[in-house]
Amino acid sequence: PAHLQHQNDKYAAIASLPKQSMVDSMNVTSRMRGVYSLDWNLQGDRMMIVTKDSQLRLWNPDRNSEERSWSGEWMYAECDPNSPNRTAGVTWPGRFRLVDHRQAGFAADVDLKALSDKLEKMLFLCWRPDSSYVAVGTKSDVVQMLDLRKPELSLGNSMAAVTEVNQMCWTVGGEAFLQAEGTSPGRIAVSRGVDLASGPMFSVVAHQSATVALSRDPTGRYVASGGADCFLNIWDARSMGCLWSCGPGSQPITSCSFSSDGDLIAWGSGGPGGESQVNVFGVDTKQSYLQYQCGSAATILRFHPKMPTLAVAVADCAREGSFVQFLKLGT
């Protein structure tokens, strides 16, 4: 079909880039003690990076410099999908914080453990696409909805998962909430909106072993999952039917991300005894456009919200830290 040929022509240049040219196109930030999470803001001109030295860092990729940082036992942060200057983050002891990028303090700082003794040892969170709720997850696999529709935060529904929850995301309209489960076989559980009290509407078997990574296509068509079985799967976001798979590689999938137009899917892998690389495929064309060897595990991937630029956190085992690379895959 013509539209697939157009996409293939558009991205085929990625595959034809000489390796040295691709390496030269990467901008490497200063080395950090390790990266827990990273995310682009709405405009794509700043990043929020959580590092293992208990810092949340506001990073300017164009200047390759840090503009501000906030101390705390941070575990995860994600930028507000509707505001270029707001980020939500969680700390290991159980604090939920809203950060205004323009201010040194916190726009909100809530001790979740004081509201519920189950809300400690926080691991990750995700915004609902309309910014009305944030879902947070704990080490003990409790998933809690936080209601942000009023100035004072309140607790919504919660769910004590019967199995490990490794990642979560909403569909683009916020009508369904997906959780990557660490069962064997690995499943994706699907709940209705912010309603966790009723339990999942259904679940699908996604991988032979744990489902590790989840990502949704910004245009609303697809969901991607990565598993410990070394497969990357593409799903129809409405029916949750599997459309195609890629793999197996020799190492588990660590993270996956869609490009802003939904045409590309990138995923990282890595670990001892196998490849440590970033793969970029066309979602509709199913063509491979890039296999970049990182040398160490590619632990986190995030596509730029406007351009085909991919931020990749790479574990630097020799220095017990991480660095962030930017892969420029077009204009």
Side-chain angles (χ1 to χ4, degrees):
H3 74 284
L4 295 185
Q5 185 61 51
H6 172 73
Q7 287 186 21
N8 199 50
D9 293 345
K10 180 179 178 181
Y11 295 112
I14 299 173
S16 63
L17 282 173
K19 182 178 180 181
Q20 186 59 44
S21 174
M22 177 61 69
V23 171
D24 289 344
S25 74
M26 297 176 188
N27 179 23
V28 183
T29 73
S30 59
R31 297 184 183 275
M32 302 169 184
R33 288 184 57 189
V35 174
Y36 279 139
S37 75
L38 60 83
D39 196 24
W40 296 94
N41 74 342
L42 178 64
Q43 300 300 330
D45 58 0
R46 299 292 187 276
M47 297 196 75
M48 295 298 274
I49 304 175
V50 173
T51 55
K52 293 183 180 179
D53 56 355
S54 300
Q55 297 293 312
L56 173 62
R57 304 174 186 273
L58 177 63
W59 199 268
N60 186 322
D62 292 333
R63 297 180 179 177
N64 197 27
S65 63
E66 179 181 307
E67 295 186 344
R68 181 172 283 123
S69 66
W70 296 262
S71 296
E73 296 180 65
W74 300 96
M75 292 302 296
Y76 199 92
E78 187 173 293
C79 296
D80 187 331
N82 297 290
S83 170
N85 295 309
R86 190 165 75 152
T87 292
V90 288
T91 70
W92 179 251
R95 304 198 77 89
F96 171 80
R97 290 167 172 164
L98 291 175
V99 171
D100 187 320
H101 301 179
R102 300 160 295 186
Q103 299 175 0
F106 301 119
D109 186 2
V110 180
D111 183 1
L112 296 179
K113 189 179 178 182
L115 302 178
S116 170
D117 58 8
K118 298 178 181 179
L119 298 179
E120 62 173 344
K121 298 181 179 178
M122 313 301 294
L123 292 182
F124 46 79
L125 63 81
C126 67
W127 286 91
R128 197 181 191 205
D130 64 1
S131 304
S132 60
Y133 284 82
V134 168
V136 298
T138 75
K139 187 177 185 297
S140 57
D141 301 308
V142 172
V143 178
Q144 174 73 57
M145 292 293 175
L146 305 180
D147 189 343
L148 303 182
R149 291 175 295 175
K150 297 179 181 179
E152 186 170 340
L153 177 145
S154 62
L155 298 184
N157 291 321
S158 66
M159 174 186 68
V162 297
T163 185
E164 179 180 292
V165 177
N166 290 323
Q167 192 55 270
M168 50 196 183
C169 70
W170 264 284
T171 52
V172 72
E175 67 280 355
F177 179 67
L178 285 60
Q179 302 121 67
E181 296 187 341
T183 51
S184 184
R187 307 182 74 91
I188 300 174
V190 182
S191 300
R192 189 186 307 278
V194 298
D195 179 16
L196 297 180
S198 303
M201 294 186 293
F202 64 92
S203 66
V204 295
V205 174
H207 296 274
Q208 294 179 20
S209 49
T211 306
V212 178
L214 274 181
S215 181
R216 63 165 165 77
D217 157 30
T219 69
R221 297 173 295 168
Y222 306 114
V223 170
S225 67
D229 60 357
C230 310
F231 276 87
L232 186 287
N233 296 334
I234 300 294
W235 306 80
D236 182 285
R238 291 184 179 273
S239 67
M240 286 305 295
C242 188
L243 300 175
W244 60 273
S245 299
C246 185
S250 64
Q251 291 297 318
I253 308 299
T254 53
S255 181
C256 56
S257 180
F258 284 98
S259 61
S260 60
D261 56 11
D263 289 346
L264 299 176
I265 180 66
W267 68 92
S269 62
E275 90 279 352
S276 298
Q277 67 182 29
V278 172
N279 295 275
V280 179
F281 268 64
V283 178
D284 295 318
T285 66
K286 305 176 187 177
Q287 297 295 310
S288 173
Y289 297 123
L290 176 67
Q291 288 184 317
Y292 172 69
Q293 300 295 326
C294 303
S296 295
T299 56
I300 309 165
L301 284 74
R302 293 291 183 271
F303 259 111
H304 190 280
K306 298 180 183 296
M307 300 185 298
T309 296
L310 185 66
V312 184
V314 180
D316 186 354
C317 299
R319 294 174 174 83
E320 297 183 351
S322 302
F323 56 90
V324 179
Q325 296 181 335
F326 298 93
L327 312 189
K328 301 181 186 299
L329 307 179
T331 55

